[in-house]
Amino acid sequence: MPARKDLVEDLVRLGVRPGDLLMVHASVRSVGRIVGGVNVLVQSLFESVGAGGTIAAYVDFEPFF
């Protein structure tokens, strides 16, 4: 299972740099299990673009009612 450090390294290898605008459109389920869960995935995205970057994401869910 990847940890936060692994995810950040993968994002950098993909070309994500500080200050970037990053559009994320992915199923969390298809990313797979992550040490620390989905919050670590989101933290990794923020860390990879830095304080001057922007993350945009499409969010969809199925209501439980």
Side-chain angles (χ1 to χ4, degrees), residues 11-52:
L11 289 163
V12 169
R13 270 194 296 276
L14 286 169
V16 178
R17 300 288 180 256
D20 279 354
L21 173 107
L22 184 62
M23 175 59 186
V24 180
H25 184 89
S27 165
V28 173
R29 186 179 308 150
S30 58
V31 173
R33 295 183 65 177
I34 300 167
V35 175
V38 69
N39 289 335
V40 170
L41 175 60
V42 173
Q43 291 168 353
S44 300
L45 293 167
F46 280 122
E47 186 174 333
S48 66
V49 298

